[in-house]
Amino acid sequence: MTRPSPPPDTPVLPAHDPDALDQAVRILKAGGCVAVPTETVYGLACDATNPKAVAGVYEAKGRPSFNPLICHVDTLERAHSLIKLDDQGLALAERFWPGPLTLVGPKRTPSPVSDLAAAGLDSLAVRTPRSEALRTLVQRLDAPLAAPSANASGAISPTTAEHVKDSLNGRIHLILDGGPCKVGVESTIVSLLDPAQPVILRPGGVSRENLETVCGVLAQQTRANHSAPTAPGQLTSHYAPNASVRLNATQPVANEAFLGLGTQPKGDDVVFFDLSPDGDLVEAAANLFTGLRWLDRVSDRIAVAPIPETGLGEAINDRLRRAAAER
Ligand code: TXA
Ligand code: MG
């Protein structure tokens, strides 16, 4: 079957509307792609078992094809049919799914998932999202949905339907609008490939402290212990605004806009965005990409307040370091 080409003006429909979900199912079955809200960021979903559909997602995003996609599922059973979950994996899944945690495990063979979605690896990243819409679509397709964040490759992840439309209008078939994402940063990715030592490949929506209550001390992937670019942590400049980004700034200097955390910049004419007036890191994570996008529109230099490295601060700092990286 040939893949339908996307309409020049991508429609945006409410995610809870049964007719919109029917339409999404038709598009996905035909090999198209649909932006779907999740609790972390909007995902660009396609049928993970259909290589042409997966190719369409890479094409729409302009993504380097070595970067494998996360497979989204509706149940633990479906996850377990795709990867082998050991006791530790099962404990993590039972505690944090549905939720912002992705588990990388050994891929079962034969696998229904196309090699293109897994980027030819023997492992697979799987997550059960909180998103009702996404889980319903998986169930109705009876197949895992591969879904990277619904933005052009290298750009800031979308946390509203409007962000998706700005980035991918005319390149994708449909956008389901579920309002702003509650978590606002991507899922935490944990690799279970070494049963003796689970590793955080990417900090995200579940904090290290929370994970460690279930599985003991987690290692953090570094360039030194992993040379292949398998997680966005390996792509230095990944969350890139157009503006330059200066980190750990207590105050903005001339011509800088300010991304703060419960702190007001001095001076009346400084453009600033407060991630959380109370300094709450959960609220700050939810506002991060919206704040970065907004400041990026109004200024070409952004100074960022210091963010504590605790809880979701680890994920926020990871994204900010990448936004500040040389390009
Ligand atoms: O919250 C999220 O995780 C969002 C929502 C839509 O679910 N998705 C997301 O997908 O952030 P994406 O494609 O932007 O980032 C997923 C990352 C990829 O960059 C890839 O490096 C890593 O997951 N990944 C996927 N499969 C992997 C594997 N087998 N081993 C190691 N890393 C993997
Ligand atoms: Mg992404």
Side-chain angles (χ1 to χ4, degrees), residues 63 149 151 157 186 238:
R63 150 169 280 197
S149 49
N151 53 273
S157 290
E186 296 88 342
H238 190 79

Side-chain angles (χ1 to χ4, degrees), residues 64 66-68 121 189 199-203 220-239 318-319 322 325-326:
F66 54 71
N67 215 353
L121 300 172
I189 304 179
V199 180
I200 296 185
L201 300 182
R202 175 179 75 181
Q220 172 80 56
Q221 190 189 42
T222 62
R223 267 183 194 283
N225 65 19
H226 204 297
S227 55
T230 49
Q234 307 308 110
L235 294 172
T236 306
S237 169
H238 190 79
Y239 299 88
D318 173 78
R319 306 307 185 270
R322 243 176 282 296
E326 253 177 69

Side-chain angles (χ1 to χ4, degrees), residues 49-197:
T49 68
N50 178 345
K52 277 192 196 153
V54 176
V57 162
Y58 284 116
E59 181 188 59
K61 281 182 62 84
R63 150 169 280 197
S65 55
F66 54 71
N67 215 353
L69 306 181
I70 296 172
C71 286
H72 296 74
V73 297
D74 51 345
T75 60
L76 186 54
E77 290 66 43
R78 200 187 297 273
H80 213 194
S81 75
L82 299 177
I83 55 175
K84 294 181 199 121
L85 286 166
D86 58 13
D87 287 349
Q88 204 152 43
L90 286 171
L92 285 168
E94 272 161 14
R95 169 74 177 76
F96 296 107
W97 283 352
L101 174 68
T102 295
L103 297 175
V104 173
K107 192 169 71 175
R108 291 201 189 269
T109 48
S111 176
V113 174
S114 73
D115 274 336
L116 189 57
L121 300 172
D122 297 332
S123 61
L124 193 68
V126 178
R127 148 167 134 86
T128 307
R130 249 175 243 157
S131 165
E132 205 53 60
L134 191 42
R135 281 186 286 141
T136 301
L137 292 173
V138 171
Q139 192 193 358
R140 289 188 54 188
L141 243 77
D142 195 22
L145 287 175
S149 49
N151 53 273
S153 185
I156 299 171
S157 290
T159 53
T160 66
E162 199 188 9
H163 294 163
V164 179
K165 180 110 177 161
D166 287 348
S167 192
L168 296 176
N169 191 32
R171 307 179 64 129
I172 63 177
H173 298 84
L174 174 65
I175 299 169
L176 294 177
D177 185 350
C181 302
K182 296 241 156 53
V183 175
V185 289
E186 296 88 342
S187 59
T188 305
I189 304 179
V190 173
S191 169
L192 303 165
L193 295 177
D194 176 357
Q197 179 58 79

